[in-house]
Amino acid sequence: MTSPAVAPSTSPPPSPTTGLGNEVREGLRIVTPAALAALPMGLAFGVVVSQSPLAWWWGPVFATVIFAGSLEFLVLGMVVAVAPLAQIAATAFLVNFRHVFYALSFPLHRVHGRGAKVYSTFTLTDEAWALTTGPQAQRWSRRRILTIQAALQVMWVAAVTVGALVGTLIPDSVVGLDFAVTAFFLVLTIDAFRVRRSVPAPVIALLCALGSYLLFGDGMLVAAMTAFVAILLIQYALTRVKRRSAHA
Amino acid sequence: MPEPTYIITAVLVSSAVTWALRAAPFAFLAPIRHSALLPYLNESMPVGVLTILAFYTLRHTPVDIAPQTAAAAAALVTTAALHIWRKNAVLSVVGGTTVHVAIASTLPLFS
């Protein structure tokens, strides 16, 4: 990831010809493909909620309050298994740790006002970051950025709600829809693999997962992820030492 | 059936941790912007974390000749093949899930 140079926060406001309505319209134009792409996953999450022991309306509650796609799937499973809160917090931390990097390029300096900054960081999802990470976004108006983020949230909550309601109509003889979660993670794994194409990384992760499951059962997530990150850090330290001794 | 107060607490905890991860780095990341560790973790962490999550969702699948196992194996292969071939996330998820539902809903009827 390259972090573009930080644009001065005193860059000129949008010219008078681009009115406030235009900024909203422009934001909606930018966000539409991403919002449509998130639709099936939202529907799938809603359906999974409706097939769980929880009432359907927990779907929109999860979607609005957590607003982090993959974590919602996981928290649902953990809540159904009545997992300890500390384990849920640790999982949220490890699964969403990637968001830490989004601060490197997200144009928060364009979003003025405390309330707006709170909302903007609260809704800084993968999609919101991906749409605002280009150099041109460093000069976008607050209204355009917030339009993009709000549209993504409204679309996600709507999709989850529809999925949760439609899901209650699915007959009991149809089973196995929860595989959508697995497929979703597999697809993201393949996409992440394409970044470095390093075979050992997923193999090591799989071994961490298997070992942690044998040791801890349903409480495996934190142990597996901690072990995997620890191995990455050791690997990082070793390559630094090697590089340093090569220079010596 | 979990208690509503427990569920809402779990939702709020997840929300608070996620928001902290999204907001705090704007204050704390500036000094370590140039550290080489951050880009390294950013590149190498996701593939492993996602592999672990995919495994986690399948942890109760029996390693056996059972309809559930057959459904999961066929659906995994379908999802991966579709995604390697077309690189379309929606197509891969819908395709894999359809195969899973078809096998998991019908195979037990024959056994």
Side-chain angles (χ1 to χ4, degrees), chain A residues 38-50 73 159-160 163-164 177 180-181, chain B residues 93:
Chain A
L39 198 69
M41 209 49 68
L43 287 170
F45 179 66
V47 171
V48 172
V49 171
S50 73
F73 281 103
V160 171
L177 271 167
V181 187
Chain B
V93 170

Side-chain angles (χ1 to χ4, degrees), chain A residues 219-243:
Chain A
M220 59 165 275
L221 272 181
V222 175
M225 290 186 186
T226 310
F228 178 70
V229 172
I231 291 171
L232 283 183
L233 291 177
I234 292 168
Q235 224 172 11
Y236 178 79
L238 286 179
T239 46
R240 299 267 291 194
V241 169
K242 227 181 273 175
R243 229 174 273 162

